[in-house]
Amino acid sequence: MPETLDAIDRRILRALQRNGRMSNVELANEVGLSPSPCLRRVKLLEDRGVIDQYVAVLNGPAIGLGLTVFARIWFKTQDAETTNQFAETVRKFPEVAECYLTTGECDAIMRVVTTDLHAYWRFQSDYLMRIPSVQSVKTDVPMETIKRSHELPLL
């Protein structure tokens, strides 16, 4: 069941999505609270699981990971054992930034981050295609990033 958030909670979450390193004093000033109640609210949001984690978002090309591709995966069968085995295997691959089981044309879609196209080709042939449940993989290579955000819309 979704959490009920009041206007102050939403302001806190918007601010932290923009800058998770913001000090509690800065956050309190931005959302219109004094520091102690602000810290209590943040702690409650963390305890309730609304705030899942804090991370540093890295610039892939700056650390040598300049290629992002989207791989569409088709399974040999769609039973629970196949799906579970696929999920367990994919979770071990650091190149897979995101992976979703899907409805529609393919069975799963993943965002893969590597150094270049050759490195992705090696990853696909050495790892993805060797997963027993995978029948085929089709890869989409984006030409340009139009929008990239980690912020969720807080309506």
PDB file of all heavy atoms in Angstrom, residues 43-66:
ATOM      1  N   LYS A  43      14.077  10.697   9.251  1.00  0.00           N
ATOM      2  CA  LYS A  43      14.253   9.382   9.884  1.00  0.00           C
ATOM      3  C   LYS A  43      12.990   8.535   9.740  1.00  0.00           C
ATOM      4  O   LYS A  43      13.072   7.336   9.453  1.00  0.00           O
ATOM      5  CB  LYS A  43      14.618   9.576  11.371  1.00  0.00           C
ATOM      6  CG  LYS A  43      14.812   8.300  12.136  1.00  0.00           C
ATOM      7  CD  LYS A  43      16.086   7.599  11.742  1.00  0.00           C
ATOM      8  CE  LYS A  43      16.335   6.424  12.667  1.00  0.00           C
ATOM      9  NZ  LYS A  43      16.630   5.202  11.966  1.00  0.00           N
ATOM     10  N   LEU A  44      11.826   9.134   9.914  1.00  0.00           N
ATOM     11  CA  LEU A  44      10.561   8.397   9.717  1.00  0.00           C
ATOM     12  C   LEU A  44      10.411   7.926   8.270  1.00  0.00           C
ATOM     13  O   LEU A  44       9.969   6.802   8.018  1.00  0.00           O
ATOM     14  CB  LEU A  44       9.364   9.258  10.108  1.00  0.00           C
ATOM     15  CG  LEU A  44       9.067   9.356  11.599  1.00  0.00           C
ATOM     16  CD1 LEU A  44       8.002  10.426  11.878  1.00  0.00           C
ATOM     17  CD2 LEU A  44       8.607   8.009  12.137  1.00  0.00           C
ATOM     18  N   LEU A  45      10.770   8.790   7.323  1.00  0.00           N
ATOM     19  CA  LEU A  45      10.694   8.408   5.907  1.00  0.00           C
ATOM     20  C   LEU A  45      11.643   7.243   5.608  1.00  0.00           C
ATOM     21  O   LEU A  45      11.310   6.339   4.845  1.00  0.00           O
ATOM     22  CB  LEU A  45      10.997   9.608   5.002  1.00  0.00           C
ATOM     23  CG  LEU A  45       9.932  10.699   4.999  1.00  0.00           C
ATOM     24  CD1 LEU A  45      10.462  11.977   4.356  1.00  0.00           C
ATOM     25  CD2 LEU A  45       8.664  10.223   4.288  1.00  0.00           C
ATOM     26  N   GLU A  46      12.809   7.256   6.230  1.00  0.00           N
ATOM     27  CA  GLU A  46      13.751   6.143   6.073  1.00  0.00           C
ATOM     28  C   GLU A  46      13.191   4.880   6.715  1.00  0.00           C
ATOM     29  O   GLU A  46      13.201   3.799   6.109  1.00  0.00           O
ATOM     30  CB  GLU A  46      15.101   6.500   6.707  1.00  0.00           C
ATOM     31  CG  GLU A  46      15.851   7.582   5.988  1.00  0.00           C
ATOM     32  CD  GLU A  46      17.046   8.106   6.767  1.00  0.00           C
ATOM     33  OE1 GLU A  46      17.209   7.782   7.970  1.00  0.00           O
ATOM     34  OE2 GLU A  46      17.825   8.867   6.159  1.00  0.00           O
ATOM     35  N   ASP A  47      12.694   4.995   7.945  1.00  0.00           N
ATOM     36  CA  ASP A  47      12.168   3.834   8.673  1.00  0.00           C
ATOM     37  C   ASP A  47      10.971   3.206   7.970  1.00  0.00           C
ATOM     38  O   ASP A  47      10.791   1.988   8.013  1.00  0.00           O
ATOM     39  CB  ASP A  47      11.780   4.211  10.111  1.00  0.00           C
ATOM     40  CG  ASP A  47      12.976   4.541  10.983  1.00  0.00           C
ATOM     41  OD1 ASP A  47      14.126   4.232  10.582  1.00  0.00           O
ATOM     42  OD2 ASP A  47      12.768   5.130  12.068  1.00  0.00           O
ATOM     43  N   ARG A  48      10.135   4.029   7.336  1.00  0.00           N
ATOM     44  CA  ARG A  48       8.955   3.531   6.623  1.00  0.00           C
ATOM     45  C   ARG A  48       9.307   2.985   5.244  1.00  0.00           C
ATOM     46  O   ARG A  48       8.445   2.448   4.555  1.00  0.00           O
ATOM     47  CB  ARG A  48       7.920   4.647   6.483  1.00  0.00           C
ATOM     48  CG  ARG A  48       7.295   5.026   7.821  1.00  0.00           C
ATOM     49  CD  ARG A  48       6.423   6.259   7.814  1.00  0.00           C
ATOM     50  NE  ARG A  48       5.761   6.616   6.585  1.00  0.00           N
ATOM     51  CZ  ARG A  48       5.417   7.865   6.260  1.00  0.00           C
ATOM     52  NH1 ARG A  48       5.666   8.866   7.089  1.00  0.00           N
ATOM     53  NH2 ARG A  48       4.801   8.120   5.135  1.00  0.00           N
ATOM     54  N   GLY A  49      10.565   3.104   4.836  1.00  0.00           N
ATOM     55  CA  GLY A  49      10.976   2.577   3.534  1.00  0.00           C
ATOM     56  C   GLY A  49      10.671   3.499   2.374  1.00  0.00           C
ATOM     57  O   GLY A  49      10.824   3.099   1.219  1.00  0.00           O
ATOM     58  N   VAL A  50      10.221   4.724   2.656  1.00  0.00           N
ATOM     59  CA  VAL A  50       9.967   5.680   1.581  1.00  0.00           C
ATOM     60  C   VAL A  50      11.299   6.098   0.966  1.00  0.00           C
ATOM     61  O   VAL A  50      11.451   6.152  -0.249  1.00  0.00           O
ATOM     62  CB  VAL A  50       9.184   6.912   2.099  1.00  0.00           C
ATOM     63  CG1 VAL A  50       9.042   7.972   1.022  1.00  0.00           C
ATOM     64  CG2 VAL A  50       7.814   6.474   2.605  1.00  0.00           C
ATOM     65  N   ILE A  51      12.285   6.385   1.816  1.00  0.00           N
ATOM     66  CA  ILE A  51      13.652   6.614   1.346  1.00  0.00           C
ATOM     67  C   ILE A  51      14.348   5.269   1.405  1.00  0.00           C
ATOM     68  O   ILE A  51      14.553   4.701   2.475  1.00  0.00           O
ATOM     69  CB  ILE A  51      14.390   7.660   2.215  1.00  0.00           C
ATOM     70  CG1 ILE A  51      13.694   9.018   2.107  1.00  0.00           C
ATOM     71  CG2 ILE A  51      15.855   7.764   1.783  1.00  0.00           C
ATOM     72  CD1 ILE A  51      14.256  10.083   3.025  1.00  0.00           C
ATOM     73  N   ASP A  52      14.673   4.748   0.239  1.00  0.00           N
ATOM     74  CA  ASP A  52      15.228   3.406   0.125  1.00  0.00           C
ATOM     75  C   ASP A  52      16.727   3.387   0.401  1.00  0.00           C
ATOM     76  O   ASP A  52      17.225   2.498   1.089  1.00  0.00           O
ATOM     77  CB  ASP A  52      14.935   2.877  -1.282  1.00  0.00           C
ATOM     78  CG  ASP A  52      15.231   1.416  -1.440  1.00  0.00           C
ATOM     79  OD1 ASP A  52      15.091   0.661  -0.472  1.00  0.00           O
ATOM     80  OD2 ASP A  52      15.612   1.018  -2.559  1.00  0.00           O
ATOM     81  N   GLN A  53      17.452   4.351  -0.170  1.00  0.00           N
ATOM     82  CA  GLN A  53      18.897   4.407   0.008  1.00  0.00           C
ATOM     83  C   GLN A  53      19.432   5.738  -0.493  1.00  0.00           C
ATOM     84  O   GLN A  53      18.734   6.469  -1.173  1.00  0.00           O
ATOM     85  CB  GLN A  53      19.592   3.261  -0.730  1.00  0.00           C
ATOM     86  CG  GLN A  53      19.404   3.301  -2.244  1.00  0.00           C
ATOM     87  CD  GLN A  53      20.094   2.146  -2.945  1.00  0.00           C
ATOM     88  OE1 GLN A  53      21.214   1.798  -2.610  1.00  0.00           O
ATOM     89  NE2 GLN A  53      19.423   1.552  -3.905  1.00  0.00           N
ATOM     90  N   TYR A  54      20.670   6.021  -0.145  1.00  0.00           N
ATOM     91  CA  TYR A  54      21.378   7.199  -0.645  1.00  0.00           C
ATOM     92  C   TYR A  54      22.535   6.691  -1.497  1.00  0.00           C
ATOM     93  O   TYR A  54      23.240   5.765  -1.085  1.00  0.00           O
ATOM     94  CB  TYR A  54      21.914   8.045   0.512  1.00  0.00           C
ATOM     95  CG  TYR A  54      20.820   8.618   1.392  1.00  0.00           C
ATOM     96  CD1 TYR A  54      20.366   7.931   2.503  1.00  0.00           C
ATOM     97  CD2 TYR A  54      20.240   9.839   1.098  1.00  0.00           C
ATOM     98  CE1 TYR A  54      19.374   8.448   3.316  1.00  0.00           C
ATOM     99  CE2 TYR A  54      19.235  10.373   1.903  1.00  0.00           C
ATOM    100  CZ  TYR A  54      18.812   9.665   3.007  1.00  0.00           C
ATOM    101  OH  TYR A  54      17.820  10.182   3.797  1.00  0.00           O
ATOM    102  N   VAL A  55      22.722   7.290  -2.663  1.00  0.00           N
ATOM    103  CA  VAL A  55      23.788   6.837  -3.565  1.00  0.00           C
ATOM    104  C   VAL A  55      24.472   8.034  -4.218  1.00  0.00           C
ATOM    105  O   VAL A  55      23.917   9.130  -4.262  1.00  0.00           O
ATOM    106  CB  VAL A  55      23.241   5.907  -4.676  1.00  0.00           C
ATOM    107  CG1 VAL A  55      22.609   4.663  -4.096  1.00  0.00           C
ATOM    108  CG2 VAL A  55      22.268   6.632  -5.576  1.00  0.00           C
ATOM    109  N   ALA A  56      25.660   7.770  -4.755  1.00  0.00           N
ATOM    110  CA  ALA A  56      26.334   8.737  -5.615  1.00  0.00           C
ATOM    111  C   ALA A  56      26.059   8.304  -7.051  1.00  0.00           C
ATOM    112  O   ALA A  56      26.272   7.144  -7.411  1.00  0.00           O
ATOM    113  CB  ALA A  56      27.835   8.740  -5.347  1.00  0.00           C
ATOM    114  N   VAL A  57      25.553   9.198  -7.876  1.00  0.00           N
ATOM    115  CA  VAL A  57      25.284   8.896  -9.279  1.00  0.00           C
ATOM    116  C   VAL A  57      26.543   9.239 -10.068  1.00  0.00           C
ATOM    117  O   VAL A  57      26.982  10.390 -10.086  1.00  0.00           O
ATOM    118  CB  VAL A  57      24.065   9.691  -9.802  1.00  0.00           C
ATOM    119  CG1 VAL A  57      23.830   9.400 -11.274  1.00  0.00           C
ATOM    120  CG2 VAL A  57      22.832   9.351  -8.977  1.00  0.00           C
ATOM    121  N   LEU A  58      27.145   8.243 -10.687  1.00  0.00           N
ATOM    122  CA  LEU A  58      28.409   8.419 -11.377  1.00  0.00           C
ATOM    123  C   LEU A  58      28.219   8.803 -12.837  1.00  0.00           C
ATOM    124  O   LEU A  58      27.225   8.434 -13.461  1.00  0.00           O
ATOM    125  CB  LEU A  58      29.233   7.132 -11.286  1.00  0.00           C
ATOM    126  CG  LEU A  58      29.493   6.586  -9.883  1.00  0.00           C
ATOM    127  CD1 LEU A  58      30.349   5.332  -9.949  1.00  0.00           C
ATOM    128  CD2 LEU A  58      30.135   7.632  -8.999  1.00  0.00           C
ATOM    129  N   ASN A  59      29.197   9.480 -13.377  1.00  0.00           N
ATOM    130  CA  ASN A  59      29.243   9.835 -14.792  1.00  0.00           C
ATOM    131  C   ASN A  59      29.971   8.700 -15.502  1.00  0.00           C
ATOM    132  O   ASN A  59      31.204   8.592 -15.413  1.00  0.00           O
ATOM    133  CB  ASN A  59      29.977  11.170 -14.944  1.00  0.00           C
ATOM    134  CG  ASN A  59      30.137  11.589 -16.383  1.00  0.00           C
ATOM    135  OD1 ASN A  59      30.139  10.769 -17.287  1.00  0.00           O
ATOM    136  ND2 ASN A  59      30.282  12.877 -16.577  1.00  0.00           N
ATOM    137  N   GLY A  60      29.233   7.840 -16.195  1.00  0.00           N
ATOM    138  CA  GLY A  60      29.804   6.658 -16.844  1.00  0.00           C
ATOM    139  C   GLY A  60      30.999   6.951 -17.737  1.00  0.00           C
ATOM    140  O   GLY A  60      32.069   6.348 -17.570  1.00  0.00           O
ATOM    141  N   PRO A  61      30.867   7.865 -18.706  1.00  0.00           N
ATOM    142  CA  PRO A  61      32.015   8.148 -19.576  1.00  0.00           C
ATOM    143  C   PRO A  61      33.250   8.640 -18.812  1.00  0.00           C
ATOM    144  O   PRO A  61      34.381   8.332 -19.194  1.00  0.00           O
ATOM    145  CB  PRO A  61      31.477   9.233 -20.518  1.00  0.00           C
ATOM    146  CG  PRO A  61      30.009   8.960 -20.582  1.00  0.00           C
ATOM    147  CD  PRO A  61      29.645   8.510 -19.183  1.00  0.00           C
ATOM    148  N   ALA A  62      33.061   9.354 -17.715  1.00  0.00           N
ATOM    149  CA  ALA A  62      34.194   9.872 -16.942  1.00  0.00           C
ATOM    150  C   ALA A  62      34.989   8.754 -16.268  1.00  0.00           C
ATOM    151  O   ALA A  62      36.154   8.944 -15.920  1.00  0.00           O
ATOM    152  CB  ALA A  62      33.714  10.865 -15.894  1.00  0.00           C
ATOM    153  N   ILE A  63      34.364   7.584 -16.084  1.00  0.00           N
ATOM    154  CA  ILE A  63      35.068   6.451 -15.470  1.00  0.00           C
ATOM    155  C   ILE A  63      35.278   5.309 -16.470  1.00  0.00           C
ATOM    156  O   ILE A  63      35.510   4.172 -16.085  1.00  0.00           O
ATOM    157  CB  ILE A  63      34.337   5.952 -14.203  1.00  0.00           C
ATOM    158  CG1 ILE A  63      32.901   5.512 -14.514  1.00  0.00           C
ATOM    159  CG2 ILE A  63      34.375   6.990 -13.116  1.00  0.00           C
ATOM    160  CD1 ILE A  63      32.211   4.792 -13.383  1.00  0.00           C
ATOM    161  N   GLY A  64      35.170   5.637 -17.765  1.00  0.00           N
ATOM    162  CA  GLY A  64      35.456   4.648 -18.795  1.00  0.00           C
ATOM    163  C   GLY A  64      34.301   3.757 -19.183  1.00  0.00           C
ATOM    164  O   GLY A  64      34.489   2.757 -19.874  1.00  0.00           O
ATOM    165  N   LEU A  65      33.097   4.084 -18.740  1.00  0.00           N
ATOM    166  CA  LEU A  65      31.917   3.292 -19.108  1.00  0.00           C
ATOM    167  C   LEU A  65      31.028   4.139 -20.010  1.00  0.00           C
ATOM    168  O   LEU A  65      30.007   4.663 -19.598  1.00  0.00           O
ATOM    169  CB  LEU A  65      31.167   2.844 -17.844  1.00  0.00           C
ATOM    170  CG  LEU A  65      31.955   1.907 -16.940  1.00  0.00           C
ATOM    171  CD1 LEU A  65      31.234   1.695 -15.625  1.00  0.00           C
ATOM    172  CD2 LEU A  65      32.228   0.588 -17.637  1.00  0.00           C
ATOM    173  N   GLY A  66      31.444   4.256 -21.258  1.00  0.00           N
ATOM    174  CA  GLY A  66      30.807   5.185 -22.177  1.00  0.00           C
ATOM    175  C   GLY A  66      29.652   4.643 -22.980  1.00  0.00           C
ATOM    176  O   GLY A  66      29.030   5.391 -23.733  1.00  0.00           O
TER     177      GLY A  66
END
